[in-house]
């Protein structure tokens, strides 16, 4: 599997707190369930995201940087998760990725 520079940036934003210009740098914990689900989606595993939706009943869940499951599933063409989250009421117009 080839990982793009954008993937590396997303992994970095969801798994570390050292990105100096990110307003969420102090609050983004890579061990949170949403970040684990995001990292799994990037790796091609959608089971964690679906499980998270079932546990939280929140289709608009996002991490401290604003990266949501719907955004990541859309970027990585995971049609199943995108469809499930939209059917559950995820807002496709929700603001995303707070980088500055």
């Amino acid at each position: 599997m080839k990982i793009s520079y954008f993937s590396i940036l997303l992994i970095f934003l969801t798994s570390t707190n050292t990105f100096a210009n990110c307003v969420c740098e102090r609050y983004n914990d890579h061990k949170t369930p949403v970040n684990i689900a995001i990292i799994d989606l990037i790796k091609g595993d959608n089971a964690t995201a679906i499980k998270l939706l079932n546990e939280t009943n929140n289709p608009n869940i996002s991490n401290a940087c604003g990266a949501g499951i719907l955004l990541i599933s859309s970027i990585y063409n995971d049609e199943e998760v995108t469809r499930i989250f939209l059917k559950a009421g995820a807002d496709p117009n929700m603001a995303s990725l707070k980088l500055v």
Side-chain angles (χ1 to χ4, degrees), residues 2-34:
K2 186 175 181 179
I3 297 181
S4 68
Y5 290 111
F6 186 70
S7 297
I8 293 169
L9 174 63
L10 282 175
I11 291 169
F12 181 76
L13 288 174
T14 59
S15 65
T16 69
N17 62 358
T18 58
F19 190 58
N21 293 325
C22 185
V23 295
C24 62
E25 67 180 279
R26 292 185 206 131
Y27 308 107
N28 198 28
D29 179 2
H30 69 280
K31 297 176 186 170
T32 63
V34 69

PDB file of all heavy atoms in Angstrom, residues 2-34:
ATOM      1  N   LYS A   2       0.667   2.107  -0.972  1.00  0.00           N
ATOM      2  CA  LYS A   2       1.428   3.349  -1.054  1.00  0.00           C
ATOM      3  C   LYS A   2       0.703   4.425  -0.252  1.00  0.00           C
ATOM      4  O   LYS A   2      -0.496   4.621  -0.409  1.00  0.00           O
ATOM      5  CB  LYS A   2       1.559   3.768  -2.508  1.00  0.00           C
ATOM      6  CG  LYS A   2       2.442   4.958  -2.701  1.00  0.00           C
ATOM      7  CD  LYS A   2       2.639   5.253  -4.169  1.00  0.00           C
ATOM      8  CE  LYS A   2       3.560   6.435  -4.314  1.00  0.00           C
ATOM      9  NZ  LYS A   2       3.805   6.752  -5.712  1.00  0.00           N
ATOM     10  N   ILE A   3       1.433   5.107   0.628  1.00  0.00           N
ATOM     11  CA  ILE A   3       0.844   6.151   1.462  1.00  0.00           C
ATOM     12  C   ILE A   3       1.265   7.506   0.916  1.00  0.00           C
ATOM     13  O   ILE A   3       2.446   7.769   0.704  1.00  0.00           O
ATOM     14  CB  ILE A   3       1.270   6.006   2.933  1.00  0.00           C
ATOM     15  CG1 ILE A   3       0.748   4.685   3.488  1.00  0.00           C
ATOM     16  CG2 ILE A   3       0.778   7.167   3.765  1.00  0.00           C
ATOM     17  CD1 ILE A   3       1.070   4.424   4.927  1.00  0.00           C
ATOM     18  N   SER A   4       0.294   8.392   0.677  1.00  0.00           N
ATOM     19  CA  SER A   4       0.568   9.715   0.120  1.00  0.00           C
ATOM     20  C   SER A   4       1.040  10.679   1.203  1.00  0.00           C
ATOM     21  O   SER A   4       0.948  10.401   2.395  1.00  0.00           O
ATOM     22  CB  SER A   4      -0.707  10.274  -0.519  1.00  0.00           C
ATOM     23  OG  SER A   4      -1.659  10.561   0.495  1.00  0.00           O
ATOM     24  N   TYR A   5       1.561  11.817   0.771  1.00  0.00           N
ATOM     25  CA  TYR A   5       1.979  12.854   1.713  1.00  0.00           C
ATOM     26  C   TYR A   5       0.788  13.339   2.532  1.00  0.00           C
ATOM     27  O   TYR A   5       0.920  13.645   3.706  1.00  0.00           O
ATOM     28  CB  TYR A   5       2.635  14.032   0.986  1.00  0.00           C
ATOM     29  CG  TYR A   5       3.976  13.685   0.420  1.00  0.00           C
ATOM     30  CD1 TYR A   5       4.172  13.601  -0.940  1.00  0.00           C
ATOM     31  CD2 TYR A   5       5.055  13.424   1.266  1.00  0.00           C
ATOM     32  CE1 TYR A   5       5.412  13.276  -1.469  1.00  0.00           C
ATOM     33  CE2 TYR A   5       6.293  13.091   0.752  1.00  0.00           C
ATOM     34  CZ  TYR A   5       6.465  13.019  -0.613  1.00  0.00           C
ATOM     35  OH  TYR A   5       7.689  12.693  -1.114  1.00  0.00           O
ATOM     36  N   PHE A   6      -0.378  13.411   1.909  1.00  0.00           N
ATOM     37  CA  PHE A   6      -1.578  13.835   2.630  1.00  0.00           C
ATOM     38  C   PHE A   6      -1.908  12.839   3.735  1.00  0.00           C
ATOM     39  O   PHE A   6      -2.276  13.229   4.837  1.00  0.00           O
ATOM     40  CB  PHE A   6      -2.761  13.974   1.657  1.00  0.00           C
ATOM     41  CG  PHE A   6      -3.988  14.537   2.306  1.00  0.00           C
ATOM     42  CD1 PHE A   6      -4.033  15.860   2.711  1.00  0.00           C
ATOM     43  CD2 PHE A   6      -5.091  13.737   2.515  1.00  0.00           C
ATOM     44  CE1 PHE A   6      -5.161  16.379   3.317  1.00  0.00           C
ATOM     45  CE2 PHE A   6      -6.229  14.249   3.122  1.00  0.00           C
ATOM     46  CZ  PHE A   6      -6.256  15.573   3.524  1.00  0.00           C
ATOM     47  N   SER A   7      -1.742  11.553   3.447  1.00  0.00           N
ATOM     48  CA  SER A   7      -1.978  10.529   4.470  1.00  0.00           C
ATOM     49  C   SER A   7      -1.033  10.699   5.640  1.00  0.00           C
ATOM     50  O   SER A   7      -1.428  10.592   6.797  1.00  0.00           O
ATOM     51  CB  SER A   7      -1.786   9.130   3.878  1.00  0.00           C
ATOM     52  OG  SER A   7      -2.708   8.887   2.864  1.00  0.00           O
ATOM     53  N   ILE A   8       0.215  10.975   5.331  1.00  0.00           N
ATOM     54  CA  ILE A   8       1.204  11.179   6.390  1.00  0.00           C
ATOM     55  C   ILE A   8       0.818  12.383   7.244  1.00  0.00           C
ATOM     56  O   ILE A   8       0.894  12.330   8.471  1.00  0.00           O
ATOM     57  CB  ILE A   8       2.614  11.342   5.791  1.00  0.00           C
ATOM     58  CG1 ILE A   8       3.046  10.018   5.150  1.00  0.00           C
ATOM     59  CG2 ILE A   8       3.617  11.787   6.855  1.00  0.00           C
ATOM     60  CD1 ILE A   8       4.282  10.114   4.296  1.00  0.00           C
ATOM     61  N   LEU A   9       0.352  13.457   6.611  1.00  0.00           N
ATOM     62  CA  LEU A   9      -0.084  14.637   7.359  1.00  0.00           C
ATOM     63  C   LEU A   9      -1.271  14.304   8.251  1.00  0.00           C
ATOM     64  O   LEU A   9      -1.300  14.677   9.427  1.00  0.00           O
ATOM     65  CB  LEU A   9      -0.452  15.776   6.408  1.00  0.00           C
ATOM     66  CG  LEU A   9      -1.051  17.029   7.049  1.00  0.00           C
ATOM     67  CD1 LEU A   9      -0.032  17.669   8.006  1.00  0.00           C
ATOM     68  CD2 LEU A   9      -1.488  18.011   5.993  1.00  0.00           C
ATOM     69  N   LEU A  10      -2.250  13.575   7.729  1.00  0.00           N
ATOM     70  CA  LEU A  10      -3.412  13.206   8.538  1.00  0.00           C
ATOM     71  C   LEU A  10      -3.015  12.314   9.708  1.00  0.00           C
ATOM     72  O   LEU A  10      -3.496  12.501  10.819  1.00  0.00           O
ATOM     73  CB  LEU A  10      -4.462  12.507   7.684  1.00  0.00           C
ATOM     74  CG  LEU A  10      -5.303  13.409   6.811  1.00  0.00           C
ATOM     75  CD1 LEU A  10      -6.217  12.585   5.920  1.00  0.00           C
ATOM     76  CD2 LEU A  10      -6.098  14.389   7.621  1.00  0.00           C
ATOM     77  N   ILE A  11      -2.145  11.361   9.452  1.00  0.00           N
ATOM     78  CA  ILE A  11      -1.678  10.505  10.541  1.00  0.00           C
ATOM     79  C   ILE A  11      -0.962  11.348  11.581  1.00  0.00           C
ATOM     80  O   ILE A  11      -1.171  11.195  12.775  1.00  0.00           O
ATOM     81  CB  ILE A  11      -0.772   9.379  10.005  1.00  0.00           C
ATOM     82  CG1 ILE A  11      -1.588   8.392   9.178  1.00  0.00           C
ATOM     83  CG2 ILE A  11      -0.060   8.659  11.160  1.00  0.00           C
ATOM     84  CD1 ILE A  11      -0.757   7.397   8.395  1.00  0.00           C
ATOM     85  N   PHE A  12      -0.137  12.280  11.121  1.00  0.00           N
ATOM     86  CA  PHE A  12       0.597  13.143  12.039  1.00  0.00           C
ATOM     87  C   PHE A  12      -0.359  13.973  12.893  1.00  0.00           C
ATOM     88  O   PHE A  12      -0.214  14.060  14.104  1.00  0.00           O
ATOM     89  CB  PHE A  12       1.533  14.057  11.243  1.00  0.00           C
ATOM     90  CG  PHE A  12       2.354  14.963  12.087  1.00  0.00           C
ATOM     91  CD1 PHE A  12       3.455  14.477  12.775  1.00  0.00           C
ATOM     92  CD2 PHE A  12       2.034  16.306  12.208  1.00  0.00           C
ATOM     93  CE1 PHE A  12       4.221  15.311  13.560  1.00  0.00           C
ATOM     94  CE2 PHE A  12       2.789  17.145  12.992  1.00  0.00           C
ATOM     95  CZ  PHE A  12       3.894  16.648  13.673  1.00  0.00           C
ATOM     96  N   LEU A  13      -1.354  14.555  12.264  1.00  0.00           N
ATOM     97  CA  LEU A  13      -2.291  15.405  12.999  1.00  0.00           C
ATOM     98  C   LEU A  13      -3.139  14.618  13.981  1.00  0.00           C
ATOM     99  O   LEU A  13      -3.549  15.146  15.011  1.00  0.00           O
ATOM    100  CB  LEU A  13      -3.215  16.153  12.024  1.00  0.00           C
ATOM    101  CG  LEU A  13      -2.552  17.264  11.233  1.00  0.00           C
ATOM    102  CD1 LEU A  13      -3.540  17.818  10.205  1.00  0.00           C
ATOM    103  CD2 LEU A  13      -2.042  18.360  12.124  1.00  0.00           C
ATOM    104  N   THR A  14      -3.383  13.371  13.671  1.00  0.00           N
ATOM    105  CA  THR A  14      -4.235  12.586  14.560  1.00  0.00           C
ATOM    106  C   THR A  14      -3.452  11.772  15.576  1.00  0.00           C
ATOM    107  O   THR A  14      -4.032  11.208  16.489  1.00  0.00           O
ATOM    108  CB  THR A  14      -5.143  11.622  13.757  1.00  0.00           C
ATOM    109  OG1 THR A  14      -4.328  10.754  12.990  1.00  0.00           O
ATOM    110  CG2 THR A  14      -6.093  12.395  12.876  1.00  0.00           C
ATOM    111  N   SER A  15      -2.135  11.721  15.432  1.00  0.00           N
ATOM    112  CA  SER A  15      -1.386  10.849  16.336  1.00  0.00           C
ATOM    113  C   SER A  15      -0.321  11.552  17.154  1.00  0.00           C
ATOM    114  O   SER A  15       0.316  10.931  17.986  1.00  0.00           O
ATOM    115  CB  SER A  15      -0.738   9.715  15.546  1.00  0.00           C
ATOM    116  OG  SER A  15       0.217  10.236  14.658  1.00  0.00           O
ATOM    117  N   THR A  16      -0.096  12.836  16.932  1.00  0.00           N
ATOM    118  CA  THR A  16       0.911  13.539  17.721  1.00  0.00           C
ATOM    119  C   THR A  16       0.364  14.873  18.194  1.00  0.00           C
ATOM    120  O   THR A  16      -0.671  15.331  17.747  1.00  0.00           O
ATOM    121  CB  THR A  16       2.192  13.819  16.902  1.00  0.00           C
ATOM    122  OG1 THR A  16       1.892  14.802  15.909  1.00  0.00           O
ATOM    123  CG2 THR A  16       2.744  12.567  16.263  1.00  0.00           C
ATOM    124  N   ASN A  17       1.098  15.499  19.074  1.00  0.00           N
ATOM    125  CA  ASN A  17       0.697  16.836  19.522  1.00  0.00           C
ATOM    126  C   ASN A  17       1.851  17.812  19.361  1.00  0.00           C
ATOM    127  O   ASN A  17       2.016  18.718  20.138  1.00  0.00           O
ATOM    128  CB  ASN A  17       0.201  16.802  20.966  1.00  0.00           C
ATOM    129  CG  ASN A  17       1.279  16.347  21.931  1.00  0.00           C
ATOM    130  OD1 ASN A  17       2.385  16.028  21.539  1.00  0.00           O
ATOM    131  ND2 ASN A  17       0.947  16.322  23.194  1.00  0.00           N
ATOM    132  N   THR A  18       2.658  17.641  18.310  1.00  0.00           N
ATOM    133  CA  THR A  18       3.832  18.478  18.119  1.00  0.00           C
ATOM    134  C   THR A  18       3.725  19.429  16.938  1.00  0.00           C
ATOM    135  O   THR A  18       4.663  20.161  16.663  1.00  0.00           O
ATOM    136  CB  THR A  18       5.090  17.610  17.935  1.00  0.00           C
ATOM    137  OG1 THR A  18       4.893  16.751  16.818  1.00  0.00           O
ATOM    138  CG2 THR A  18       5.378  16.794  19.182  1.00  0.00           C
ATOM    139  N   PHE A  19       2.627  19.448  16.242  1.00  0.00           N
ATOM    140  CA  PHE A  19       2.469  20.346  15.101  1.00  0.00           C
ATOM    141  C   PHE A  19       2.230  21.759  15.623  1.00  0.00           C
ATOM    142  O   PHE A  19       1.166  22.094  16.093  1.00  0.00           O
ATOM    143  CB  PHE A  19       1.302  19.871  14.230  1.00  0.00           C
ATOM    144  CG  PHE A  19       1.196  20.562  12.909  1.00  0.00           C
ATOM    145  CD1 PHE A  19       2.250  20.541  12.018  1.00  0.00           C
ATOM    146  CD2 PHE A  19       0.048  21.226  12.564  1.00  0.00           C
ATOM    147  CE1 PHE A  19       2.150  21.159  10.788  1.00  0.00           C
ATOM    148  CE2 PHE A  19      -0.068  21.849  11.342  1.00  0.00           C
ATOM    149  CZ  PHE A  19       0.989  21.821  10.453  1.00  0.00           C
ATOM    150  N   ALA A  20       3.260  22.606  15.561  1.00  0.00           N
ATOM    151  CA  ALA A  20       3.289  23.890  16.267  1.00  0.00           C
ATOM    152  C   ALA A  20       2.157  24.835  15.880  1.00  0.00           C
ATOM    153  O   ALA A  20       1.668  25.592  16.714  1.00  0.00           O
ATOM    154  CB  ALA A  20       4.628  24.571  16.048  1.00  0.00           C
ATOM    155  N   ASN A  21       1.736  24.832  14.634  1.00  0.00           N
ATOM    156  CA  ASN A  21       0.729  25.793  14.194  1.00  0.00           C
ATOM    157  C   ASN A  21      -0.695  25.278  14.337  1.00  0.00           C
ATOM    158  O   ASN A  21      -1.637  25.940  13.951  1.00  0.00           O
ATOM    159  CB  ASN A  21       0.982  26.175  12.731  1.00  0.00           C
ATOM    160  CG  ASN A  21       2.262  26.945  12.589  1.00  0.00           C
ATOM    161  OD1 ASN A  21       2.615  27.724  13.467  1.00  0.00           O
ATOM    162  ND2 ASN A  21       2.968  26.731  11.501  1.00  0.00           N
ATOM    163  N   CYS A  22      -0.880  24.108  14.859  1.00  0.00           N
ATOM    164  CA  CYS A  22      -2.213  23.520  14.986  1.00  0.00           C
ATOM    165  C   CYS A  22      -2.853  23.964  16.295  1.00  0.00           C
ATOM    166  O   CYS A  22      -2.317  23.725  17.371  1.00  0.00           O
ATOM    167  CB  CYS A  22      -2.119  21.998  14.934  1.00  0.00           C
ATOM    168  SG  CYS A  22      -3.721  21.194  14.929  1.00  0.00           S
ATOM    169  N   VAL A  23      -4.001  24.616  16.204  1.00  0.00           N
ATOM    170  CA  VAL A  23      -4.674  25.101  17.414  1.00  0.00           C
ATOM    171  C   VAL A  23      -5.071  23.964  18.337  1.00  0.00           C
ATOM    172  O   VAL A  23      -5.298  24.174  19.522  1.00  0.00           O
ATOM    173  CB  VAL A  23      -5.929  25.943  17.079  1.00  0.00           C
ATOM    174  CG1 VAL A  23      -5.548  27.203  16.358  1.00  0.00           C
ATOM    175  CG2 VAL A  23      -6.944  25.151  16.297  1.00  0.00           C
ATOM    176  N   CYS A  24      -5.137  22.771  17.817  1.00  0.00           N
ATOM    177  CA  CYS A  24      -5.562  21.633  18.615  1.00  0.00           C
ATOM    178  C   CYS A  24      -4.382  20.882  19.218  1.00  0.00           C
ATOM    179  O   CYS A  24      -4.565  19.860  19.844  1.00  0.00           O
ATOM    180  CB  CYS A  24      -6.372  20.679  17.752  1.00  0.00           C
ATOM    181  SG  CYS A  24      -5.418  20.002  16.397  1.00  0.00           S
ATOM    182  N   GLU A  25      -3.164  21.397  19.047  1.00  0.00           N
ATOM    183  CA  GLU A  25      -1.974  20.622  19.416  1.00  0.00           C
ATOM    184  C   GLU A  25      -1.982  20.132  20.860  1.00  0.00           C
ATOM    185  O   GLU A  25      -1.477  19.056  21.144  1.00  0.00           O
ATOM    186  CB  GLU A  25      -0.692  21.409  19.137  1.00  0.00           C
ATOM    187  CG  GLU A  25      -0.523  22.636  20.022  1.00  0.00           C
ATOM    188  CD  GLU A  25       0.743  23.384  19.711  1.00  0.00           C
ATOM    189  OE1 GLU A  25       1.799  22.954  20.197  1.00  0.00           O
ATOM    190  OE2 GLU A  25       0.677  24.381  18.989  1.00  0.00           O
ATOM    191  N   ARG A  26      -2.547  20.866  21.764  1.00  0.00           N
ATOM    192  CA  ARG A  26      -2.551  20.458  23.172  1.00  0.00           C
ATOM    193  C   ARG A  26      -3.637  19.453  23.509  1.00  0.00           C
ATOM    194  O   ARG A  26      -3.597  18.814  24.538  1.00  0.00           O
ATOM    195  CB  ARG A  26      -2.726  21.675  24.065  1.00  0.00           C
ATOM    196  CG  ARG A  26      -1.547  22.601  24.032  1.00  0.00           C
ATOM    197  CD  ARG A  26      -1.714  23.727  25.029  1.00  0.00           C
ATOM    198  NE  ARG A  26      -0.945  24.855  24.546  1.00  0.00           N
ATOM    199  CZ  ARG A  26      -1.389  26.077  24.455  1.00  0.00           C
ATOM    200  NH1 ARG A  26      -2.604  26.361  24.838  1.00  0.00           N
ATOM    201  NH2 ARG A  26      -0.630  27.030  24.000  1.00  0.00           N
ATOM    202  N   TYR A  27      -4.624  19.350  22.638  1.00  0.00           N
ATOM    203  CA  TYR A  27      -5.811  18.571  22.975  1.00  0.00           C
ATOM    204  C   TYR A  27      -5.998  17.308  22.137  1.00  0.00           C
ATOM    205  O   TYR A  27      -6.915  16.551  22.382  1.00  0.00           O
ATOM    206  CB  TYR A  27      -7.053  19.450  22.841  1.00  0.00           C
ATOM    207  CG  TYR A  27      -6.928  20.736  23.592  1.00  0.00           C
ATOM    208  CD1 TYR A  27      -6.747  21.932  22.929  1.00  0.00           C
ATOM    209  CD2 TYR A  27      -6.950  20.751  24.980  1.00  0.00           C
ATOM    210  CE1 TYR A  27      -6.610  23.126  23.634  1.00  0.00           C
ATOM    211  CE2 TYR A  27      -6.812  21.932  25.684  1.00  0.00           C
ATOM    212  CZ  TYR A  27      -6.645  23.113  25.002  1.00  0.00           C
ATOM    213  OH  TYR A  27      -6.510  24.272  25.679  1.00  0.00           O
ATOM    214  N   ASN A  28      -5.176  17.108  21.133  1.00  0.00           N
ATOM    215  CA  ASN A  28      -5.366  15.971  20.240  1.00  0.00           C
ATOM    216  C   ASN A  28      -4.572  14.763  20.722  1.00  0.00           C
ATOM    217  O   ASN A  28      -3.389  14.666  20.515  1.00  0.00           O
ATOM    218  CB  ASN A  28      -4.969  16.338  18.811  1.00  0.00           C
ATOM    219  CG  ASN A  28      -5.542  15.383  17.814  1.00  0.00           C
ATOM    220  OD1 ASN A  28      -6.585  14.796  18.058  1.00  0.00           O
ATOM    221  ND2 ASN A  28      -4.870  15.208  16.702  1.00  0.00           N
ATOM    222  N   ASP A  29      -5.242  13.838  21.362  1.00  0.00           N
ATOM    223  CA  ASP A  29      -4.627  12.643  21.923  1.00  0.00           C
ATOM    224  C   ASP A  29      -4.811  11.475  20.954  1.00  0.00           C
ATOM    225  O   ASP A  29      -5.930  11.094  20.635  1.00  0.00           O
ATOM    226  CB  ASP A  29      -5.279  12.335  23.272  1.00  0.00           C
ATOM    227  CG  ASP A  29      -4.747  11.098  23.945  1.00  0.00           C
ATOM    228  OD1 ASP A  29      -3.817  10.453  23.390  1.00  0.00           O
ATOM    229  OD2 ASP A  29      -5.247  10.760  25.022  1.00  0.00           O
ATOM    230  N   HIS A  30      -3.709  10.913  20.491  1.00  0.00           N
ATOM    231  CA  HIS A  30      -3.795   9.824  19.507  1.00  0.00           C
ATOM    232  C   HIS A  30      -4.406   8.549  20.069  1.00  0.00           C
ATOM    233  O   HIS A  30      -4.708   7.632  19.325  1.00  0.00           O
ATOM    234  CB  HIS A  30      -2.411   9.531  18.930  1.00  0.00           C
ATOM    235  CG  HIS A  30      -1.459   8.913  19.905  1.00  0.00           C
ATOM    236  ND1 HIS A  30      -0.781   9.648  20.845  1.00  0.00           N
ATOM    237  CD2 HIS A  30      -1.089   7.635  20.093  1.00  0.00           C
ATOM    238  CE1 HIS A  30      -0.029   8.846  21.566  1.00  0.00           C
ATOM    239  NE2 HIS A  30      -0.194   7.617  21.138  1.00  0.00           N
ATOM    240  N   LYS A  31      -4.614   8.497  21.367  1.00  0.00           N
ATOM    241  CA  LYS A  31      -5.174   7.293  21.993  1.00  0.00           C
ATOM    242  C   LYS A  31      -6.692   7.354  22.150  1.00  0.00           C
ATOM    243  O   LYS A  31      -7.292   6.424  22.675  1.00  0.00           O
ATOM    244  CB  LYS A  31      -4.523   7.074  23.355  1.00  0.00           C
ATOM    245  CG  LYS A  31      -3.045   6.818  23.263  1.00  0.00           C
ATOM    246  CD  LYS A  31      -2.422   6.709  24.630  1.00  0.00           C
ATOM    247  CE  LYS A  31      -0.915   6.609  24.501  1.00  0.00           C
ATOM    248  NZ  LYS A  31      -0.237   6.724  25.783  1.00  0.00           N
ATOM    249  N   THR A  32      -7.318   8.448  21.715  1.00  0.00           N
ATOM    250  CA  THR A  32      -8.766   8.546  21.834  1.00  0.00           C
ATOM    251  C   THR A  32      -9.430   7.605  20.830  1.00  0.00           C
ATOM    252  O   THR A  32      -8.858   7.303  19.778  1.00  0.00           O
ATOM    253  CB  THR A  32      -9.262   9.980  21.585  1.00  0.00           C
ATOM    254  OG1 THR A  32      -8.933  10.342  20.241  1.00  0.00           O
ATOM    255  CG2 THR A  32      -8.661  10.960  22.571  1.00  0.00           C
ATOM    256  N   PRO A  33     -10.627   7.150  21.125  1.00  0.00           N
ATOM    257  CA  PRO A  33     -11.315   6.239  20.200  1.00  0.00           C
ATOM    258  C   PRO A  33     -11.477   6.811  18.786  1.00  0.00           C
ATOM    259  O   PRO A  33     -11.328   6.085  17.806  1.00  0.00           O
ATOM    260  CB  PRO A  33     -12.673   6.014  20.873  1.00  0.00           C
ATOM    261  CG  PRO A  33     -12.396   6.205  22.328  1.00  0.00           C
ATOM    262  CD  PRO A  33     -11.371   7.308  22.382  1.00  0.00           C
ATOM    263  N   VAL A  34     -11.759   8.108  18.675  1.00  0.00           N
ATOM    264  CA  VAL A  34     -11.950   8.681  17.342  1.00  0.00           C
ATOM    265  C   VAL A  34     -10.641   8.690  16.559  1.00  0.00           C
ATOM    266  O   VAL A  34     -10.617   8.407  15.365  1.00  0.00           O
ATOM    267  CB  VAL A  34     -12.613  10.088  17.396  1.00  0.00           C
ATOM    268  CG1 VAL A  34     -11.688  11.117  17.990  1.00  0.00           C
ATOM    269  CG2 VAL A  34     -13.072  10.502  16.008  1.00  0.00           C
TER     270      VAL A  34
END
